[in-house]
Amino acid sequence: MQINKGSISIFIVCLLLLCSSLKAQKVGLVLSGGGASGAAHIGVLKALEENHIPIDYITGTSMGALVGSLYAMGYSPEQIEKLVKSESFQNWSQGIVDNKYAYYFKRDDSNASWITLKLSLDSAFVSTLPTNVISPIAMDWGSMEIAAPAIAAAKYNFDSLFIPFRCVASDIEIKKSVIFSKGDLAQAVRASMSYPFYIKPIYVDGKLLFDGGLYNNFPSDIMFDDFFPDFMIGSNVAGNNPPPDADNILSQIKSMLQSKSNYDILCEAGVIIEPKIDVGLFDFSTVQNVIDSGYVAAQRNMDFIKQHILRRVEPLELATKRKFFRDKQHKIMFDNIYIDGLNKKQTAYALKILRHKNKVVELEDIKKGYFRLSSDNKIKYIYPQAKYNEQTGYYDLFLRIKKEKNVVTDFGGNFSNRPISMGYIGLQYNYLSRFATNMNANVYFGKLYTSVQLRTRFDFPFKTPIFIEPGFTWNKWDYFKSSNAFFEDVKPAYLIQSEEYGQLNLGFPTSKEARVVAGGVVGRTTDKYYQTNFFTQKDTADRTDFDVASAQLYYEINSLNRKQYANQGEYLKIKIQYVNGLETNTPGSTTIVDTLPEYKKYHEWAVLKMTAERYFNRRGTFKIGLFGEGVYSTQTLFNNYTSSVLAAPSFQPTPDSKTIFKENYRAHQYLAGGIKFVVNIRKTVELRAEGYIFQPVQMMIKKEDNKVEYSQPFAFQHYIATGAVVWHTPVGPMSLSVNYYDQVKDPFSVLFHFGYIIFNKRTLE
């Protein structure tokens, strides 16, 4: 058989063209939105790289935009997995600032508030309801820190990244998608992830943008239009929402906002990988299982993918390409800071807190200042952008800052099965200029506790910041009305404590989590009580007044994650205090022995007190906490047993113990300690078991005629135990606990409460 030379030539040309076509085969990867389920995209990337499948283009929405952008910046799947599993990322997803950057100095005293409404004097007091569940402060900085060097190396062109990239956000004003192909990469991804009512939306070029999944949750059309790949791989962890639920407002809002997305591959050659995942929308606690699901789903489709994608990328080639792109990136060093959103004086205040003096500074130094500024309650929001300046060779930092509303109102309290329920209302006025001012007022009202407090805090942004805080407080505790052991309509009350005092404090930080506060108090405490349990409505109570002046100095560290029922962080307070005052005792009709109409005595003493609390195994489901407290006071005895016990320091380690008067847990000198076991059975539900030992040096012993004397040293020891189930709702804790106090007639009690059992500070606290 004779072979025609011309046919051979044509065959060779066709073969060369075919090989060239195979060599030029381009692959696009489309990553859907889907919240925490989007972590499955990492597993898909791992499987594709393990099998040497090339990825030439990436488009993504929401979580898909985040994972896709990291890969487009040159991060390997293993590096992305490490990041998503890191403590920093877990904090971002929950709106938590890492303890390393938490700035306790700016934090106000804890109160019983559930919800905060913010008002503006220039908008007719129209309230601004919260538009986001989590704070984006840490997420925004972290995104900028990661993306700034990569996008600068790409000269702010997404096509020049390690992998060409696109992501989408949603403009709800015109009800259309916004496609990002250039500009600030961190800003583009942040806009794509701004899930309504969970993460605050941001402005880009004057447009308020939300999560890209509202109008396009699977941007295969963008992949087709912008890149036109030969083969398209889709990773889909989402779907269109079910019909709205009449009892679920979020589902109704989502249905109004979200359009149906097309989850199909638009080109002729392609495959969709659909991992099977059952995880909460924002639950990143089981992220490893989600990643593994994506990996398994991709491997199931790998034979089909390999049949249609003949081109391969070897690990060495990929690593070399990554290194080349990374080597082009410039280390972040800031030269200039530009602030938008504040006036001249407010900008000066912000710059002083940032402590930037127009010289080149390290990223870490500005980072500390950023979180210091974001913790200021006069600042509502900060959005950071880092832009590389080719002329200087450094980055410029642009901060878009929004001042907090003028007036902030808080509402809260506590509801309980016992008559200790109370309401709470707080009001704060903010003023920001070259220094910051807060004027605060709050009111507690209930059967157990009533209080009114007025405070003003002046913050000065010196090299070492300081605050000066004058204030006035009136407190009242009625242990009789709030006790189940008595009828509410019996008058007069068995035990009432009231106090009013003025204070002046000055404080400064010693670190991000610590502060030193010096202060003075002038006031009066009044205790009304009976010296017998047998009294009638005609009887009058004994009364002890103590006119007091005191000075104190304390050092405090606080990184606890919650103001009540904490399970992470630590707390330490060391206080020294000097007290001087006049005791005045006015006998009532139930006084057992004849006394003078009025008894007066001057008292003077010093106090050293230390309280410490720390939790271990920060990220595990099982946590252990240790608690310790010690008091040494030179306080002398008052006129009788009841007045002496009421004036003594008390040990109240649990919420229940703060609501009852227990004589056995009060002493002038004592050591106490406890251990806490906390088990998370769900993300927001935990079981707690706590046990404490109270060891007084000397107990106050009641003698005949209600006189008082000290016991022998270390003659008594007392115990407290509690077991509780706690649900941390979005507005406050709900708890059911069984509590035990030893050596009393009824040692066990049950407490159910919803809200916070937190009070204003007492006169000598």
Side-chain angles (χ1 to χ4, degrees):
M1 177 180 176
Q2 188 175 4
I3 300 176
N4 187 290
K5 291 183 179 180
S7 299
I8 295 176
S9 299
I10 294 173
F11 174 76
I12 293 173
V13 170
C14 291
L15 183 62
L16 290 172
L17 289 173
L18 177 62
C19 292
S20 176
S21 175
L22 291 175
K23 185 176 181 181
Q25 189 180 34
K26 296 295 184 180
V27 179
L29 178 64
V30 182
L31 305 178
S32 76
S37 300
H41 301 321
I42 303 171
V44 172
L45 288 169
K46 286 175 67 175
L48 293 175
E49 279 209 0
E50 281 184 11
N51 289 274
H52 314 306
I53 304 299
I55 300 173
D56 299 293
Y57 314 109
I58 299 178
T59 61
T61 296
S62 195
M63 188 64 182
L66 175 62
V67 174
S69 69
L70 290 168
Y71 194 80
M73 285 185 271
Y75 284 81
S76 69
E78 290 74 22
Q79 289 172 321
I80 301 173
E81 178 178 1
K82 183 178 179 181
L83 172 64
V84 173
K85 290 164 60 178
S86 70
E87 185 173 335
S88 294
F89 185 86
Q90 296 291 326
N91 287 337
W92 298 350
S93 69
Q94 299 174 53
I96 298 172
V97 174
D98 193 297
N99 282 339
K100 184 179 179 181
Y101 300 102
Y103 200 55
Y104 176 60
F105 175 69
K106 289 289 186 179
R107 192 186 306 177
D108 206 352
D109 291 336
S110 296
N111 56 50
S113 66
W114 297 349
I115 187 170
T116 298
L117 297 178
K118 299 172 182 180
L119 313 169
S120 178
L121 292 180
D122 57 3
S123 59
F125 289 95
V126 175
S127 65
T128 302
L129 295 173
T131 57
N132 51 290
V133 174
I134 69 166
S135 168
I137 293 294
M139 177 195 304
D140 290 343
W141 182 272
S143 300
M144 180 201 72
E145 187 176 337
I146 290 171
I151 195 60
K155 299 188 183 301
Y156 299 94
N157 184 347
F158 292 9
D159 286 339
S160 300
L161 289 165
F162 172 71
I163 303 291
F165 174 72
R166 298 287 186 274
C167 67
V168 293
S170 299
D171 184 343
I172 64 172
E173 182 181 0
I174 61 174
K175 294 180 173 52
K176 288 184 179 180
S177 291
V178 176
I179 304 170
F180 290 98
S181 61
K182 61 182 179 179
D184 189 323
L185 179 61
Q187 186 182 56
V189 174
R190 170 67 169 79
S192 185
M193 295 177 60
S194 299
Y195 194 87
F197 307 106
Y198 190 77
I199 302 175
K200 189 179 185 69
I202 63 171
Y203 282 96
V204 180
D205 297 331
K207 299 177 181 178
L208 187 63
L209 301 184
F210 288 80
D211 190 289
L214 293 180
Y215 303 135
N216 190 346
N217 208 27
F218 189 69
S220 59
D221 57 332
I222 297 169
M223 175 64 72
F224 186 82
D225 294 339
D226 282 27
F227 299 121
F228 198 67
D230 300 294
F231 192 88
M232 197 181 298
I233 301 172
S235 178
N236 178 31
V237 295
N240 287 306
N241 290 320
D245 186 341
D247 298 320
N248 188 331
I249 188 171
L250 185 59
S251 73
Q252 297 171 29
I253 295 173
K254 285 167 62 178
S255 295
M256 287 187 284
L257 292 175
Q258 191 165 7
S259 301
K260 290 187 179 297
S261 292
N262 184 358
Y263 292 96
D264 296 327
I265 293 293
L266 298 183
C267 65
E268 295 181 358
V271 63
I272 296 181
I273 300 169
E274 294 185 297
K276 297 187 181 301
I277 302 167
D278 183 15
V279 66
L281 191 59
F282 306 109
D283 183 7
F284 289 90
S285 61
T286 58
V287 68
Q288 185 62 63
N289 294 335
V290 177
I291 294 172
D292 293 342
S293 296
Y295 179 84
V296 171
Q299 291 289 14
R300 281 199 299 263
N301 289 273
M302 198 54 64
D303 289 341
F304 180 85
I305 293 172
K306 286 181 176 181
Q307 288 174 10
H308 290 79
I309 301 176
L310 303 181
R311 177 173 146 242
R312 299 289 182 266
V313 177
E314 295 302 320
L316 180 60
E317 178 186 350
L318 203 57
T320 302
K321 184 181 176 183
R322 280 199 175 103
K323 185 178 184 304
F324 178 76
F325 183 74
R326 287 296 185 95
D327 288 344
K328 294 194 301 180
Q329 299 179 22
H330 302 276
K331 179 183 177 182
I332 299 181
M333 299 279 288
F334 288 112
D335 185 15
N336 298 305
I337 296 180
Y338 300 97
I339 293 178
D340 180 43
L342 302 179
N343 64 32
K344 185 177 180 180
K345 292 181 179 180
Q346 294 165 349
T347 298
Y349 174 85
L351 288 174
K352 284 185 178 180
I353 292 179
L354 290 167
R355 300 180 191 171
H356 178 62
K357 300 185 180 298
N358 294 320
K359 60 182 180 180
V360 176
V361 291
E362 298 277 352
L363 171 73
E364 192 65 21
D365 292 334
I366 290 295
K367 187 174 183 178
K368 294 174 183 177
Y370 168 83
F371 284 107
R372 190 160 51 237
L373 182 60
S374 68
S375 68
D376 195 305
N377 56 15
K378 274 75 66 183
I379 301 298
K380 180 181 179 67
Y381 179 63
I382 306 178
Y383 186 78
Q385 288 181 276
K387 295 183 179 180
Y388 184 69
N389 189 327
E390 292 187 356
Q391 294 181 344
T392 64
Y394 299 109
Y395 290 81
D396 293 330
L397 179 62
F398 294 83
L399 296 177
R400 189 183 307 152
I401 300 178
K402 188 171 184 178
K403 187 174 70 73
E404 187 52 273
K405 298 290 184 180
N406 303 104
V407 180
V408 178
T409 57
D410 293 312
F411 300 92
N414 172 62
F415 292 101
S416 174
N417 65 311
R418 287 175 24 209
I420 61 170
S421 299
M422 62 184 178
Y424 171 84
I425 300 175
L427 183 66
Q428 175 178 302
Y429 174 75
N430 296 315
Y431 177 76
L432 182 61
S433 185
R434 290 190 180 275
F435 63 91
T437 305
N438 286 343
M439 288 180 278
N440 298 275
N442 69 53
V443 177
Y444 288 84
F445 46 94
K447 289 185 176 180
L448 168 67
Y449 180 64
T450 306
S451 178
V452 176
Q453 185 178 81
L454 303 172
R455 291 182 297 119
T456 300
R457 172 166 165 158
F458 303 95
D459 281 278
F460 299 93
F462 301 145
K463 185 174 182 181
T464 298
I466 67 169
F467 74 80
I468 298 175
E469 184 181 52
F472 171 81
T473 304
W474 176 80
N475 291 323
K476 179 182 177 183
W477 282 265
D478 191 331
Y479 291 102
F480 179 55
K481 284 185 179 180
S482 61
S483 171
N484 287 331
F486 301 93
F487 294 103
E488 297 178 19
D489 59 349
V490 178
K491 304 285 184 178
Y494 164 71
L495 174 59
I496 295 177
Q497 289 188 290
S498 61
E499 58 188 23
E500 56 272 348
Y501 66 89
Q503 65 178 13
L504 179 64
N505 291 327
L506 183 148
F508 59 89
T510 59
S511 68
K512 292 179 293 297
E513 299 174 353
R515 65 181 181 180
V516 171
V517 178
V521 168
V522 176
R524 166 179 284 192
T525 65
T526 300
D527 299 329
K528 296 180 180 180
Y529 52 89
Y530 291 102
Q531 297 195 38
T532 175
N533 289 332
F534 303 100
F535 55 88
T536 68
Q537 293 186 2
K538 295 181 180 180
D539 287 316
T540 59
D542 282 44
R543 171 172 173 155
T544 297
D545 295 299
F546 187 55
D547 296 300
V548 60
S550 72
Q552 66 177 1
L553 177 70
Y554 65 84
Y555 171 74
E556 189 173 35
I557 298 174
N558 192 343
S559 63
L560 298 178
N561 63 325
R562 300 189 184 109
K563 56 186 178 182
Q564 195 163 40
Y565 297 115
N567 62 14
Q568 295 177 17
E570 63 179 328
Y571 177 82
L572 174 67
K573 184 175 182 179
I574 302 173
K575 181 182 75 172
I576 56 174
Q577 186 176 29
Y578 168 77
V579 181
N580 186 302
L582 173 64
E583 174 197 5
T584 302
N585 179 255
T586 305
S589 62
T590 62
T591 301
I592 299 172
V593 297
D594 293 333
T595 63
L596 295 173
E598 196 171 74
Y599 171 88
K600 293 180 179 290
K601 182 180 179 181
Y602 282 98
H603 295 268
E604 182 180 32
W605 68 83
V607 181
L608 174 63
K609 181 177 181 179
M610 184 177 77
T611 304
E613 183 176 4
R614 186 173 183 181
Y615 293 88
F616 302 89
N617 192 17
R618 179 177 174 84
R619 285 298 173 191
T621 57
F622 175 72
K623 300 177 178 66
I624 295 178
L626 297 179
F627 183 91
E629 187 168 278
V631 173
Y632 181 82
S633 172
T634 61
Q635 183 175 351
T636 51
L637 295 169
F638 275 34
N639 182 46
N640 57 61
Y641 171 78
T642 305
S643 60
S644 297
V645 170
L646 287 170
S650 60
F651 179 59
Q652 298 174 311
T654 65
D656 182 75
S657 65
K658 298 179 189 301
T659 67
I660 53 180
F661 176 72
K662 291 290 186 183
E663 303 172 16
N664 291 343
Y665 302 94
R666 292 173 176 254
H668 292 150
Q669 300 99 28
Y670 66 80
L671 290 173
I675 187 168
K676 308 181 184 186
F677 301 100
V678 184
V679 179
N680 282 97
I681 56 177
R682 294 189 64 182
K683 186 177 180 180
T684 58
V685 180
E686 62 187 22
L687 299 176
R688 303 178 70 96
E690 305 176 17
Y692 302 91
I693 300 175
F694 176 74
Q695 178 61 71
V697 176
Q698 290 179 296
M699 288 288 291
M700 286 171 280
I701 303 298
K702 186 175 184 179
K703 298 175 62 181
E704 292 183 3
D705 302 334
N706 204 37
K707 293 300 181 182
V708 59
E709 67 177 12
Y710 285 119
S711 71
Q712 292 296 316
F714 304 103
F716 297 91
Q717 195 174 67
H718 296 284
Y719 303 91
I720 297 176
T722 183
V725 56
V726 182
W727 175 28
H728 296 280
T729 75
V731 295
M734 181 181 293
S735 170
L736 177 64
S737 65
V738 177
N739 304 278
Y740 170 80
Y741 304 90
D742 74 321
Q743 300 182 34
V744 294
K745 182 178 179 181
D746 298 310
F748 291 97
S749 65
V750 176
L751 174 65
F752 169 81
H753 78 92
F754 173 63
Y756 294 99
I757 301 178
I758 297 176
F759 311 118
N760 286 327
K761 287 184 177 180
R762 305 197 67 159
T763 306
L764 297 180
E765 285 185 341

